[in-house]
Amino acid sequence: MDVVELLPQLHLLRFRVGQAYLWRDGTELTLIDAGPTGADADIGEAIRALGHPPGSLRRIVLTHFHDDHVGGAGELARATGAEVLAHCLDAPVVRGEVPGPPPVLEDWEIPLHAEAAKHLPPGGFARPQSVTELSDGEVLDFGDGARVVHVPGHTHGGIALHLPRHGVLFTGDAVAASPVDGSVLLGVFNVDRARAITSFHRLAALETDVACFGHGDPVLGQAAAALRETADGYRAAR
Ligand SMILES: [Zn+2]
Ligand SMILES: [Zn+2]
């Protein structure tokens, strides 16, 4: 796992598949997503290496239920006492009570999806014992007020987190950056692509300087302009 400082209070944690982010308010940490199976050990080590005791992890906010974002959450919560939070529509899947609805793949996504599945670590992972359920518009107590933005489409209960005081947006897989050229893209493997596009427009309307995606390099300045340019393309394509 790579650890990259994006801002003094924000680190990117990059796994073989997918990414998580660590936000710091003073001595209190918030993790946005928790990586694939087994990521808890690496994340715990990164927290220690950055000089924080494990108990400083106060919460783990999951952008959606997919394994590459939830894999480390159960073990980390058990080890640190952190609260786990997810949207009310995805929380039952996160807890393992119901299976997650599979994506409805576009033809061009089928080989991509098969390839991506090969890179996910095999095996199950510990599910969080309890998951606090979130709704659109709630404001969480980190980053000087982190607003929950419900962005259905990738999953039914996908969320983004917008920190207006810092101009930071965590998109989960509602948005991605191209591994080829870093351009901003609609996330792939959606349960409802039309709704995902609507959600993308909602995110593009926010005032954002730094955009942090579930996959691909973050945009570290004037991110709103990059999102709006891509959003305009989807509008034109309709
Ligand atoms: Zn996903
Ligand atoms: Zn993902």
Side-chain angles (χ1 to χ4, degrees):
M1 184 189 74
D2 296 327
V3 180
V4 182
E5 182 181 291
L6 303 177
L7 297 171
Q9 65 276 60
L10 175 62
H11 284 80
L12 160 68
L13 310 179
R14 189 189 285 125
F15 309 99
R16 190 145 172 254
V17 177
Q19 297 167 164
Y21 297 87
L22 195 61
W23 180 271
R24 180 179 57 79
D25 295 291
T27 57
E28 186 178 301
L29 301 177
T30 297
L31 183 68
I32 295 96
D33 285 334
T37 305
D40 46 285
D42 284 341
I43 295 171
E45 181 51 40
I47 289 172
R48 270 189 297 278
L50 291 167
H52 307 289
S56 53
L57 183 63
R58 294 292 296 275
R59 63 185 72 74
I60 302 167
V61 189
L62 302 171
T63 60
H64 63 297
F65 74 76
H66 285 158
D67 287 5
D68 52 330
H69 299 256
V70 170
E75 286 296 339
L76 270 174
R78 193 183 52 74
T80 63
E83 180 184 18
V84 179
L85 307 97
H87 189 271
C88 52
L89 293 177
D90 274 19
V93 187
V94 172
R95 285 191 294 259
E97 295 164 3
V98 295
V104 179
L105 299 175
E106 305 280 300
D107 285 346
W108 60 268
E109 289 178 320
I110 293 170
L112 215 58
H113 190 256
E115 185 61 29
K118 278 189 220 160
H119 294 287
L120 261 187
F125 50 85
R127 297 270 167 191
Q129 299 277 304
S130 75
V131 178
T132 304
E133 301 197 0
L134 300 172
S135 302
D136 184 59
E138 266 184 73
V139 177
L140 305 181
D141 189 19
F142 75 94
D144 298 296
R147 180 171 293 274
V148 174
V149 185
H150 184 207
V151 285
H154 182 66
T155 66
H156 296 304
I159 56 167
L161 295 166
H162 187 227
L163 282 51
R165 290 278 300 277
H166 298 272
V168 171
L169 178 67
F170 300 97
T171 68
D173 287 353
V175 184
S178 162
V180 178
D181 61 6
S183 57
V184 173
L185 306 169
L186 180 72
V188 292
F189 313 152
N190 300 302
V191 292
D192 185 334
R193 193 166 190 271
R195 287 187 86 193
I197 290 172
T198 302
S199 292
F200 191 106
H201 286 298
R202 193 172 173 208
L203 293 180
L206 300 173
E207 290 307 320
T208 304
D209 198 41
V210 171
C212 297
F213 313 123
H215 302 263
D217 289 340
V219 176
L220 296 178
Q222 302 187 335
L227 267 81
R228 283 167 199 164
E229 191 183 326
T230 301
D232 287 345
Y234 287 115
R235 191 172 282 123
R238 257 191 245 170

